Amino acid sequence: MASVICDSVLVTGSNRGIGLELVHQLVDLPKSPGHIFAGCRDPGGPKAQELRDLAQKHQGVITVVQLDTDSPDSIKEASNLVESKLNGKGLNLIINNAGVNIPGSLVETGKKEMVDSYTTNVVGPMLIAKNFHPLLCKAAAQFPQSSMSCSRPAIVNVSTLLSSITRCPENFYRSPMYPYRICKAALNMLTRCLAEDFRKDGILVASLHPGWVRTEMGGPQAPLTTAESVSGMIKVITSLTEKDSGTLLDWEGKNIPW
Ligand SMILES: NC(=O)c1ccc[n+]([C@@H]2O[C@H](COP(=O)([O-])OP(=O)(O)OC[C@H]3O[C@@H](n4cnc5c(N)ncnc54)[C@H](OP(=O)(O)O)[C@@H]3O)[C@@H](O)[C@H]2O)c1
């Protein structure tokens, strides 16, 4: 990794899976961010032990932040905490990684499955963008002349190939997943809207598909380890430029059609 990725980053859903690996790899970069805010909905709970250990090892760099992305109050409190820790500086990068896959064929999917999935996969990232926008703008003001990149302010929404309407016919029967597909397609629209809205502020916004990854969500059959996926994701994130804002890319940097 040639240059410093960014000064500060917030990763949501960072106590396990892809989110935890993101924190691992970000802190191990030769020029790692000075502040890594690791969002986690239950920082004191048993599922956050590995994250707590990592934060303990990198005190002063990793801050574990209570962040339940389903809760507007939790998001607000997290933004206040991050602001106070940044001590007058802005926040460079948000990786909206927290997500749920409530798998469902049409028969299995009802209102609850749709609403729960939408709350976490769409409303959460939207409220995070809204609440952290002032901090992203503050970071933008630190680099008034430079062009868009992840070292300037950026939001990366972790999406999926299964969100692609164009690619749906080739993978639908393998994984119908109505709530997941529909909500991640909506997340892509959030990416597109924010990319337009925040262009004036110099904030880049992109959706990123991590590949099919061996996590609780991805399952044991998935071909990619979290290490492989995340090292690809970090390469892609560090190479994002203005032309990528408002697009969906995969972990190898290939464009996925909407
Ligand atoms: N794995 C794959 O093959 C794959 C493929 C495409 C896209 N993705 C996307 O990649 C992202 C990470 O997936 P993963 O495979 O790492 O999943 P995972 O192993 O199931 O982990 C999900 C993470 O999200 C957190 N989370 C869920 N709801 C949350 C909420 N309301 N507030 C805060 N955190 C919450 C979980 O926290 P708790 O421990 O508290 O539940 C956990 O840390 C997701 O957005 C997913 O859609 C994954």
Side-chain angles (χ1 to χ4, degrees):
M1 204 64 50
S3 57
V4 62
I5 177 169
C6 60
D7 278 352
S8 53
V9 53
L10 167 71
V11 182
T12 69
S14 69
N15 58 303
R16 59 188 169 93
I18 292 168
L20 179 62
E21 181 64 22
L22 274 164
V23 177
H24 266 292
Q25 291 199 22
L26 285 166
V27 80
D28 280 344
L29 288 174
K31 294 185 177 177
S32 68
H35 291 280
I36 300 173
F37 297 101
C40 166
R41 62 177 149 184
D42 184 15
K47 287 198 289 183
Q49 186 61 54
E50 193 176 338
L51 178 62
R52 285 198 298 273
D53 292 346
L54 191 63
Q56 176 71 24
K57 196 171 147 203
H58 298 278
Q59 282 180 38
V61 178
I62 299 176
T63 305
V64 179
V65 179
Q66 198 286 327
L67 180 51
D68 179 348
T69 62
D70 288 356
S71 159
D73 288 345
S74 170
I75 293 172
K76 184 76 208 130
E77 279 163 30
S79 71
N80 290 339
L81 179 88
V82 169
E83 183 175 14
S84 71
K85 292 270 178 196
L86 285 172
N87 215 4
K89 288 178 95 180
L91 177 68
N92 282 128
L93 176 63
I94 297 174
I95 305 180
N96 274 318
N97 164 76
V100 286
N101 180 3
I102 301 166
S105 64
L106 192 55
V107 172
E108 292 163 330
T109 303
K111 180 177 174 183
K112 182 171 175 12
E113 289 72 24
M114 287 302 297
V115 171
D116 287 354
S117 182
Y118 196 81
T119 301
T120 307
N121 293 332
V122 189
V123 181
M126 193 277 286
L127 291 179
I128 284 175
K130 184 172 155 178
N131 278 272
F132 285 85
H133 182 223
L135 274 180
L136 293 168
C137 287
K138 209 182 255 187
Q142 292 165 226
F143 310 93
Q145 303 304 333
S146 46
S147 53
M148 281 185 181
S149 75
C150 76
S151 351
R152 294 202 70 211
I155 299 175
V156 172
N157 291 323
V158 181
S159 187
T160 167
L161 173 66
L162 301 182
S163 68
S164 169
I165 293 169
T166 307
R167 302 279 295 271
C168 185
E170 72 196 50
N171 53 36
F172 177 77
Y173 285 103
R174 247 178 295 138
S175 22
M177 299 181 185
Y178 273 79
Y180 189 62
R181 285 175 181 274
I182 295 168
C183 293
K184 290 289 190 175
L187 176 69
N188 292 342
M189 181 53 104
L190 175 70
T191 294
R192 200 74 185 90
C193 293
L194 290 174
E196 294 308 320
D197 204 3
F198 290 179
R199 196 178 298 279
K200 62 182 182 322
D201 306 315
I203 301 169
L204 186 155
V205 190
S207 280
L208 187 55
H209 164 55
W212 182 17
V213 190
R214 238 169 287 146
T215 61
E216 265 181 54
M217 187 187 292
Q221 308 300 326
L224 289 174
T225 63
T226 52
E228 290 164 335
S229 163
V230 167
S231 79
M233 288 172 78
I234 290 179
K235 273 194 200 122
V236 174
I237 291 172
T238 47
S239 62
L240 291 173
T241 65
E242 192 152 354
K243 71 172 184 359
D244 302 310
S245 197
T247 68
L248 167 62
L249 300 167
D250 74 7
W251 63 287
E252 294 178 303
K254 291 189 215 110
N255 199 274
I256 301 176
W258 298 127

